[in-house]
Amino acid sequence: MLEEVQRGTSRPRPPSALAGTRFLSAFRTDEEQQALEAAALPVRTLRPNTDLLREGEATDQLHILIEGWGCRYKTTRDGSRQIVALVVPGDMANLDSLLFGRPDFGVRILTAAKTVAIPCDAALALAERHAGIGRAFTRLALGENAVLSQWALCLGRKSAQQRLAHLFCELGRRLTGENASDDVSFDLPLTQEQLADTLGLTSVHVNRTLQQLRGEGLVETANRTITLPDVPRLRDLAEFDPAYLHCGTVDTSALSPATT
Amino acid sequence: MLEEVQRGTSRPRPPSALAGTRFLSAFRTDEEQQALEAAALPVRTLRPNTDLLREGEATDQLHILIEGWGCRYKTTRDGSRQIVALVVPGDMANLDSLLFGRPDFGVRILTAAKTVAIPCDAALALAERHAGIGRAFTRLALGENAVLSQWALCLGRKSAQQRLAHLFCELGRRLTGENASDDVSFDLPLTQEQLADTLGLTSVHVNRTLQQLRGEGLVETANRTITLPDVPRLRDLAEFDPAYLHCGTVDTSALSPATT
DNA sequence: CGGTTCGTTGAGGCCCATCAATCTATGTGG
DNA sequence: CCACATAGATTGATGGGCCTCAACGAACCG
């Protein structure tokens, strides 16, 4: 921790692909952020429906999504799929690869996307040198943990309506950072089948459930955009409490009021 | 193995409650282990069905289970419960509390149990000083992550039979470290209702499903002990692959059957 | 011996899966 | 511009896995 790691501290450098991403803002100090940006590999552009990582395929890179959507998924022998995480811009797709050689899931890019990779060994070395980076990795892992726990509750104990509503609440919060404002709208490039694979349902039933939500004025869809006209009511139906998304734009304000 | 070392190196200290636990062995060097043991608070003895942590209740301690079983759980408004993690001896009950003040789950002790606590600030300070400790925390979080992902697949896409079989396979592996030996037996102090809350089922259906598994010779129960007479067949039914339990005693042996 | 917890069994019903068809939008090549 | 192909959304009919309600048996215990 005594040596100056980067030459970039004083010199102007081209704005890295990570600049401004939610991923980067998980790291608190400029020094840490610059160290990470220096370790990042060039941007990759990916087409829809490409596997960034096949199930069980080893990798030595961490992938951060800059643009587009992806997912982590697992499959069963009979071919049915469960999406275990939706990866949106600013998310890391495979944090597990940092410490486990062989991921037990696949990572698929769902839309046109751009990613940036960081070699695992570089990331590990940075975590070793900067305690803040190591802690940020732990925080990211624990954050995924909280989302997965919430999904377990939804998958195990909630109706199709509630699951769908909960997912929309979660995405609204993660994507727009909204805080129960009454009207939220965002791009949702998932097919009904992908929604079904996320929620543990079939696409047919997702379709019918969506119609119910539309009929009750809780959801509007147009093109690939979804609008939530009455977030409070949707949250009530889903029993959604954003506290589990420890991240989010306004969360840290609880710790130090000097943000935003 | 080479873990006999923990108290001999310097001063005679009373054998800590953490000595020999799986939790402690997640930390690689003697120095790290001794630092953690020094930070541990006295052992607490707990009675069955006590809440170590109520849902949403803040805490400033990490709790490690020494003896007995516990669980992390979440509930819905109508009172139904989903167990999101089973905590067995050597597990940390609330790693999330290390970085998130308010856990989004409850922790309940299910049997007579003993726990040891470590103050969060002490743990954070240790992670700051020893990079290995920080990395071990990340590894623990990612391990929980892998288990939760697997549960999501089970809850979303598997039948009651498969879920039950999968849980038994997982517990057999975590508790006995077995590696597909044909006969495994261990103590299972969970009621059928607790199994149901783990698997997203009702206790009635767990009961009927258990009878099916018993009828097929895949499971035997006596007292609070469960025996798996034919682990390979049970694994096949559950589509259980222990690779996701990155921990375990013989993990590397499972890595390379096909690649030579 | 009565109370409590847990396991077991039965009857009935609903939520969601399954199978299959139709409809729409988009794109492609002739 | 149309024929055609494809992906995705929509709708209907049918069935099954699991839930719900309810009761009873079994083990434990003060």
Side-chain angles (χ1 to χ4, degrees):
Chain A
M1 64 170 85
L2 298 178
E3 53 179 322
E4 283 299 330
V5 199
Q6 303 306 329
R7 57 240 160 97
T9 29
S10 54
R11 186 167 311 195
R13 46 163 52 249
S16 98
L18 290 178
T21 60
R22 186 162 40 76
F23 167 75
L24 200 62
S25 64
F27 303 86
R28 300 305 174 79
T29 72
D30 290 347
E31 187 189 359
E32 289 167 10
Q33 295 194 0
Q34 286 165 10
L36 277 161
E37 288 181 277
L41 302 175
V43 175
R44 277 176 70 190
T45 301
L46 298 167
R47 297 138 62 67
N49 287 317
T50 60
D51 266 336
L52 195 55
L53 219 60
R54 266 182 294 272
E55 260 181 297
E57 186 180 36
T59 181
D60 54 0
Q61 296 182 347
L62 302 176
H63 298 277
I64 298 126
L65 201 55
I66 304 294
E67 271 182 40
W69 286 49
C71 68
R72 288 203 292 271
Y73 67 91
K74 298 166 82 89
T75 54
T76 62
R77 221 157 30 199
D78 67 5
S80 64
R81 170 174 25 240
Q82 176 67 43
I83 291 176
V84 296
L86 288 173
V87 184
V88 301
D91 284 343
M92 168 155 314
N94 61 333
L95 182 55
D96 310 56
S97 301
L98 182 66
L99 291 173
F100 300 140
R102 185 155 323 198
D104 50 308
F105 48 76
V107 175
R108 167 158 292 198
I109 298 299
L110 300 173
T111 71
K114 291 186 194 307
T115 65
V116 164
I118 294 179
C120 286
D121 49 9
L124 272 177
L126 288 175
E128 200 104 357
R129 181 153 29 224
H130 305 273
I133 291 183
R135 194 168 53 195
F137 282 142
T138 304
R139 180 186 300 270
L140 288 175
L142 290 176
E144 290 182 3
N145 224 303
V147 173
L148 276 168
S149 299
Q150 191 63 40
W151 284 26
L153 176 62
C154 288
L155 290 171
R157 290 302 185 203
K158 289 190 182 175
S159 69
Q161 269 205 42
Q162 287 182 299
R163 290 186 220 179
L164 204 44
H166 197 282
L167 182 64
F168 292 155
C169 289
E170 177 184 319
L171 290 175
R173 180 85 158 116
R174 283 169 61 185
L175 291 169
T176 75
E178 56 82 21
N179 202 0
S181 60
D182 308 58
D183 183 284
V184 170
S185 164
F186 55 91
D187 203 58
L188 184 72
L190 300 179
T191 67
Q192 293 183 352
E193 186 165 3
Q194 288 158 350
L195 285 173
D197 286 343
T198 306
L199 301 171
L201 302 169
T202 59
S203 63
V204 171
H205 200 63
V206 164
N207 184 292
R208 291 195 236 263
T209 307
L210 256 178
Q211 291 177 46
Q212 292 176 25
L213 292 180
R214 278 194 288 251
E216 295 171 28
L218 291 170
V219 164
E220 292 164 12
T221 55
N223 257 336
R224 297 242 100 99
T225 297
I226 189 168
T227 303
L228 312 178
D230 190 344
V231 173
R233 205 147 58 86
L234 195 67
R235 287 193 174 185
D236 184 64
L237 169 63
E239 299 187 28
F240 175 84
D241 176 359
Y244 76 97
L245 296 169
H246 300 274
C247 60
T249 47
V250 220
D251 192 26
T252 51
S253 65
L255 303 175
S256 61
T259 23
T260 317
Chain B
M1 320 309 184
L2 38 141
E3 50 209 34
E4 312 294 313
V5 207
Q6 38 229 8
R7 66 188 113 117
T9 31
S10 59
R11 194 157 323 185
R13 46 162 53 246
S16 103
L18 290 178
T21 59
R22 185 162 40 76
F23 167 75
L24 199 61
S25 64
F27 303 86
R28 300 307 173 77
T29 72
D30 291 344
E31 188 190 358
E32 289 167 11
Q33 295 193 0
Q34 286 165 10
L36 277 162
E37 290 181 276
L41 301 177
V43 175
R44 276 176 69 190
T45 301
L46 297 168
R47 295 136 62 67
N49 288 316
T50 59
D51 266 337
L52 196 55
L53 219 62
R54 265 181 294 272
E55 260 180 297
E57 184 180 37
T59 181
D60 55 0
Q61 298 182 348
L62 302 176
H63 297 278
I64 298 125
L65 201 55
I66 304 295
E67 272 183 40
W69 285 49
C71 69
R72 289 204 292 271
Y73 68 91
K74 298 166 81 89
T75 54
T76 62
R77 223 159 25 201
D78 67 7
S80 64
R81 169 173 30 237
Q82 176 68 43
I83 291 176
V84 296
L86 288 173
V87 184
V88 300
D91 285 342
M92 168 155 314
N94 62 333
L95 182 56
D96 309 58
S97 301
L98 182 66
L99 291 173
F100 299 141
R102 185 155 323 197
D104 50 308
F105 49 75
V107 175
R108 168 160 290 199
I109 297 299
L110 300 174
T111 70
K114 292 187 195 305
T115 66
V116 163
I118 294 179
C120 286
D121 49 8
L124 273 177
L126 288 177
E128 201 104 358
R129 182 161 18 231
H130 306 273
I133 290 183
R135 192 169 53 195
F137 282 143
T138 305
R139 180 186 299 271
L140 288 175
L142 290 176
E144 290 183 4
N145 221 299
V147 173
L148 277 168
S149 299
Q150 192 62 40
W151 284 26
L153 176 62
C154 288
L155 290 171
R157 291 301 186 204
K158 290 190 181 174
S159 69
Q161 268 204 40
Q162 288 182 300
R163 291 187 219 178
L164 205 43
H166 198 282
L167 182 64
F168 292 155
C169 289
E170 178 184 318
L171 290 175
R173 181 86 157 116
R174 283 169 61 186
L175 291 170
T176 75
E178 55 83 19
N179 202 0
S181 60
D182 307 58
D183 181 285
V184 171
S185 163
F186 55 92
D187 202 59
L188 184 73
L190 299 179
T191 67
Q192 292 183 354
E193 185 165 4
Q194 288 158 351
L195 285 172
D197 287 342
T198 306
L199 301 170
L201 301 169
T202 58
S203 63
V204 172
H205 200 61
V206 164
N207 184 293
R208 293 195 235 263
T209 307
L210 256 178
Q211 291 176 48
Q212 292 176 26
L213 292 180
R214 278 193 287 250
E216 294 172 29
L218 290 171
V219 164
E220 293 164 12
T221 54
N223 258 336
R224 297 242 101 98
T225 298
I226 189 169
T227 303
L228 312 178
D230 190 345
V231 174
R233 205 149 57 87
L234 195 68
R235 286 193 173 184
D236 185 64
L237 168 64
E239 299 187 29
F240 175 84
D241 175 359
Y244 76 98
L245 296 170
H246 300 273
C247 59
T249 46
V250 219
D251 195 19
T252 47
S253 68
L255 287 181
S256 51
T259 48
T260 32

